[in-house]
Amino acid sequence: MTPTPTTTPAGIEHRPEEHQAFEIGRGVHGDPFSILGRFGVEGGAIVRVYRPGAHSATVIDGAGKELAALEPFGPEGFFSGFAAGLDATSPYRMRYSHGGGAGWDEEDPYRFGPILGDQDVYLIAEGSHYRLYEKLGAHPTTMDGTPGVAFAVWAPNARRVSVVGHFNSWDGRRTVMRKRHECGVWELFVPHLGRGEVYKFEVIGADGNIQPLKADPVGFVQETAPSTASVVDGLVEHEWQDGDFRAQSAEWQSREAPISIYEVHLGSWRRGKDDSILDYDDLAGELVAYVKDMGFTHVEFLPVSEHPFYGSWGYQPIGLFAPSSRWGSPEAFARLVDALHQAGIGVLLDWVPGHFPTDVHGLVRFDGTAIYEHPDPRRGFHRDWNTLIYDYGRPEVKNFLVANGMYWLDQFHIDGLRVDAVASMLYLDYSRNQGEWEPNIHGGRENLEAIAFLKDANERVGEYFPKATTHAEESTAFPDVSRPTYAGGLGFHFKWNMGWMHDTLHYMQEDPVNRRYHHHHMTFGMVYAYSENFVLPLSHDEVVYGKGSLLGKMPGDEWQKFANLRAYYGFMWSHPGKKLLFMGCEFGQSAEWNHDQSLDWHLLEQPNHAGVQRLVRDLNTLYREIPALHQLDCDAAGFEWVDTANVEESVIAFLRKDREGRQVLIISNFTPIPRHGYRVGVSKPGTWTERLNTDAEIYGGSNVGNMGGKIAEEESVHGRPYSISLTLPPLATVVMVHEGGAEQE
């Protein structure tokens, strides 16, 4: 039974202006809350609803009692009327029906108040809401005692934004959002939705055209590719068990700590049965145990943010706030991080604020205009990667990116961010010819807005997460990348030493007979070694795109290839700088990395590959145990050249020292010729113990060595008062640790 419409009190017009009703119908009215919902008046309330497809609309109270039938008005689906006795706070619902059919009850989303508070609006408009992820996105919550989901999205130039999904038959007319004009955010609480609901945003641009449906820029879960919708999930809920580990993170992530990083692509580290991809929970068992056994201090994940193109390895992300659903839920990713922490392993995450893809469901022209990307293609488009570049000078975009970096540190306890492609951000002429770029306001090539963004991001990390670190993948000579912002630097804690990587790999690829002509490639890195806080990276970029594997780069027959690789690793782990090694390189993967398949773990059945793996494990152990090999990685006081002049025999020798003056001697012979009675100068008398020899039989070598150690003799060599006579194994690095002795120093 449909009740008789309640008579509206005299002098009160319950129907809006006709043009406003038609604007709602066409979906171009800027503020549906100014027309739809409940409006208190004398003796009750005016209620207006827009429900396309309904033939009747009745207001009911919380108990289901019918209060008033609303009159149809304006375009189809628009109803308006007066409900006597309905005050401004009483709950009510709507009962709709099709013509002659059964009715159904729904909550009226327009009876609920705003989602953003005044402080949120102010901070978003200012570009300083660093916990943006607590307000934007889709958050399961309760309003006025009613469960549902609070949606909020930034689209400042849109005429209309609606949240759509299966719950409203993907009909953008039914859930038009409220625009907060002060900050350009659209918001709506949709009752009785919950986790798992699939949704997108339907956006009508400033020109009146409907845009392709958009995924949520701050969505916490996205559908697994090729599907592209967002999924309601809310912030991660996990009971962390890593408190003891995180309490010490300021110490084990400092410049003086041993930092040895295992770089991992989650989808191809190892596969399960039938080549199935391991999920986050599988990896929490297998990967954690392996990394701990190998002695690495950290893992670094290639980007886990949701990316539509798997072949981008995560470097073309769209869901910056969503751990990829390919490997499981956000909660499962949190369990993986927690498991690593409980095993004493830090977690670094590749972060990509340098560019984003042009997929239509993503950020590109999100509200019909360029709001995330720079509007000038000379500054807003990467031709190399066919991707877009963020508008770093726009406060809301900078806020979006900074808040995203902090989201991973906050919600997932990530210990540090490795920032991808920093060089492409720093320079306006990056990969551009003359005339294809626009100078900055000073006439220079530096991207001043990007520089300001990077400084701000690093400062905010330092302010809110002082134990976290940031690492820059930066390949140019831009100064002071890893110096504090107050001293004029960019504020990163560490910088990848790309120059060292390219120089030393160039040397190692030369036939030993020719290495005498390239000796400087192994020594030049020390000219600038302390200009930054460096990480020595042998990363994924060196084992793809036809470059082959690290083992494949080594010259000679099979024995020499493995010997060269072992000698190189010995040199790297002894050289000043933190260490990074891409997965598979630790056991001498033969083939180039393929993201579509597992690493070749079966190779460990062969002694040479097992030997390389054992060497890397022992190098990590030695690096962590001996302070001289890590404590002064970033301080010139921790290093001395001993012999760089022996170009003809391709021998290099140097000392590493700690703050107590304890010393380690490293000698590398980069030829296949063993050298007996090779005298090396040292500054300390007593016993020098051979702690590691990459030619040892247990690693697959020829077992040429020094019988466990040598005693220094009072014979001056290399300008030092003492010396030791060594046997230098072929294609090997030897590490000699000074153990002291009875003789006075």
Side-chain angles (χ1 to χ4, degrees), residues 418-622:
R418 177 267 197 186
V419 184
D420 179 63
V422 171
S424 74
M425 301 170 66
L426 294 176
Y427 297 103
L428 296 167
D429 63 345
Y430 182 86
S431 195
R432 298 181 189 273
N433 298 319
Q434 190 67 32
E436 297 175 345
W437 58 282
E438 181 184 30
N440 63 34
I441 58 174
H442 304 300
R445 56 194 284 257
E446 295 80 15
N447 189 332
L448 302 180
E449 290 84 2
I451 291 170
F453 156 69
L454 290 169
K455 289 183 176 182
D456 186 53
N458 284 321
E459 287 174 353
R460 298 292 78 75
V461 169
E463 178 182 358
Y464 291 96
F465 301 96
K467 295 179 181 180
T469 59
T470 57
H471 301 229
E473 186 214 14
E474 204 285 309
S475 55
T476 74
F478 193 93
D480 299 327
V481 171
S482 57
R483 296 293 180 257
T485 56
Y486 62 75
L490 289 183
F492 287 93
H493 297 86
F494 296 99
K495 172 182 172 176
W496 276 23
N497 195 336
M498 311 293 279
W500 177 91
M501 177 186 71
H502 291 306
D503 283 351
T504 57
L505 282 176
H506 176 85
Y507 177 89
M508 294 304 302
Q509 290 177 86
E510 292 288 340
D511 188 287
V513 74
N514 296 321
R515 285 177 175 166
R516 69 187 72 182
Y517 307 114
H518 302 276
H519 201 72
H520 62 286
H521 282 120
M522 297 299 273
T523 60
F524 181 69
M526 290 309 302
V527 173
Y528 59 86
Y530 304 107
S531 61
E532 304 279 2
N533 302 326
F534 280 123
V535 173
L536 309 182
L538 293 177
S539 76
H540 64 276
D541 279 331
E542 302 314 305
V543 294
V544 290
Y545 298 140
K547 297 178 183 178
S549 65
L550 290 186
L551 181 65
K553 299 179 194 298
M554 301 296 120
D557 58 23
E558 182 180 11
W559 188 92
Q560 290 194 6
K561 284 180 179 294
F562 279 97
N564 272 302
L565 186 64
R566 294 193 304 267
Y568 184 40
Y569 285 169
F571 178 81
M572 171 182 173
W573 255 261
S574 305
H575 193 283
K578 310 309 178 185
K579 325 300 176 191
L580 180 140
L581 190 66
F582 184 58
M583 64 181 197
C585 298
E586 80 278 10
F587 61 80
Q589 170 99 1
S590 300
E592 184 173 279
W593 172 51
N594 182 346
H595 64 269
D596 281 324
Q597 65 185 45
S598 170
L599 298 178
D600 294 332
W601 294 100
H602 62 276
L603 293 175
L604 287 170
E605 299 172 5
Q606 302 176 23
N608 281 334
H609 292 278
V612 173
Q613 185 191 53
R614 181 168 183 171
L615 172 66
V616 171
R617 183 188 295 113
D618 288 352
L619 284 169
N620 276 331
T621 300
L622 196 69

Side-chain angles (χ1 to χ4, degrees), residues 7-47:
T7 302
T8 305
I12 297 176
E13 174 55 60
H14 67 81
R15 290 173 294 194
E17 296 291 334
E18 188 169 344
H19 75 276
Q20 292 179 312
F22 278 95
E23 285 179 349
I24 290 288
R26 293 198 306 271
V28 296
H29 194 281
D31 182 11
F33 281 82
S34 67
I35 300 173
L36 303 180
R38 168 179 44 195
F39 301 88
V41 295
E42 181 182 352
I46 292 171
V47 178

Side-chain angles (χ1 to χ4, degrees), residues 574-576 628-629 632-633 638-639 655-657 662-664 666:
S574 305
H575 193 283
L629 292 178
L632 298 177
D633 266 337
F639 179 88
L655 285 171
R656 297 296 308 278
K657 299 178 288 183
R662 291 168 293 200
Q663 296 186 359
V664 178
I666 297 93

Side-chain angles (χ1 to χ4, degrees), residues 189-506:
F189 175 74
V190 181
H192 297 297
L193 295 186
R195 294 178 185 269
E197 195 75 46
V198 173
Y199 72 99
K200 281 188 176 181
F201 294 112
E202 181 182 280
V203 180
I204 295 181
D207 59 2
N209 292 321
I210 297 181
Q211 306 303 304
L213 292 182
K214 296 291 188 178
D216 189 345
V218 190
F220 306 121
V221 175
Q222 285 194 8
E223 289 184 300
T224 304
S227 299
T228 58
S230 300
V231 182
V232 174
D233 196 64
L235 295 174
V236 67
E237 297 178 358
H238 177 72
E239 295 185 8
W240 293 90
Q241 306 295 320
D242 61 352
D244 291 343
F245 174 79
R246 281 168 59 83
Q248 304 171 20
S249 59
E251 301 172 6
W252 56 258
Q253 295 211 112
S254 73
R255 296 194 316 161
E256 296 192 357
I259 296 178
S260 181
I261 305 163
Y262 188 55
E263 189 187 28
V264 176
H265 176 254
L266 290 174
S268 58
W269 176 71
R270 181 175 287 165
R271 294 291 180 93
K273 293 181 179 179
D274 302 321
D275 201 38
S276 61
I277 292 178
L278 301 183
D279 63 21
Y280 295 126
D281 286 318
D282 296 328
L283 292 162
E286 297 187 32
L287 178 64
V288 172
Y290 181 76
V291 174
K292 184 175 180 63
D293 175 66
M294 289 298 298
F296 289 97
T297 64
H298 291 69
V299 295
E300 180 178 314
F301 294 136
L302 272 61
V304 302
S305 297
E306 196 62 78
H307 45 288
F309 176 42
Y310 182 63
S312 76
W313 317 326
Y315 291 105
Q316 292 191 17
I318 280 186
L320 263 66
F321 290 82
S324 179
S325 298
R326 291 177 176 88
W327 304 305
S329 67
E331 167 64 20
F333 180 65
R335 289 194 293 270
L336 170 58
V337 176
D338 205 350
L340 285 161
H341 282 174
Q342 291 180 58
I345 301 162
V347 182
L348 306 177
L349 186 66
D350 276 14
W351 184 49
V352 189
H355 60 129
F356 61 93
T358 59
D359 300 67
V360 295
H361 70 282
L363 303 179
V364 56
R365 297 187 67 82
F366 189 83
D367 66 359
T369 64
I371 57 170
Y372 284 98
E373 66 270 38
H374 197 287
D376 186 339
R378 292 174 297 178
R379 299 182 63 177
F381 187 74
H382 270 309
R383 292 179 304 175
D384 287 356
W385 304 317
N386 195 34
T387 54
L388 298 168
I389 304 171
Y390 290 101
D391 186 354
Y392 302 109
R394 184 161 188 164
E396 301 96 331
V397 174
K398 185 170 72 170
N399 190 176
F400 171 78
L401 291 171
V402 172
N404 176 249
M406 296 177 69
Y407 166 77
W408 295 100
L409 302 174
D410 177 27
Q411 294 293 300
F412 294 101
H413 289 199
I414 298 299
D415 302 295
L417 301 173
R418 177 267 197 186
V419 184
D420 179 63
V422 171
S424 74
M425 301 170 66
L426 294 176
Y427 297 103
L428 296 167
D429 63 345
Y430 182 86
S431 195
R432 298 181 189 273
N433 298 319
Q434 190 67 32
E436 297 175 345
W437 58 282
E438 181 184 30
N440 63 34
I441 58 174
H442 304 300
R445 56 194 284 257
E446 295 80 15
N447 189 332
L448 302 180
E449 290 84 2
I451 291 170
F453 156 69
L454 290 169
K455 289 183 176 182
D456 186 53
N458 284 321
E459 287 174 353
R460 298 292 78 75
V461 169
E463 178 182 358
Y464 291 96
F465 301 96
K467 295 179 181 180
T469 59
T470 57
H471 301 229
E473 186 214 14
E474 204 285 309
S475 55
T476 74
F478 193 93
D480 299 327
V481 171
S482 57
R483 296 293 180 257
T485 56
Y486 62 75
L490 289 183
F492 287 93
H493 297 86
F494 296 99
K495 172 182 172 176
W496 276 23
N497 195 336
M498 311 293 279
W500 177 91
M501 177 186 71
H502 291 306
D503 283 351
T504 57
L505 282 176
H506 176 85

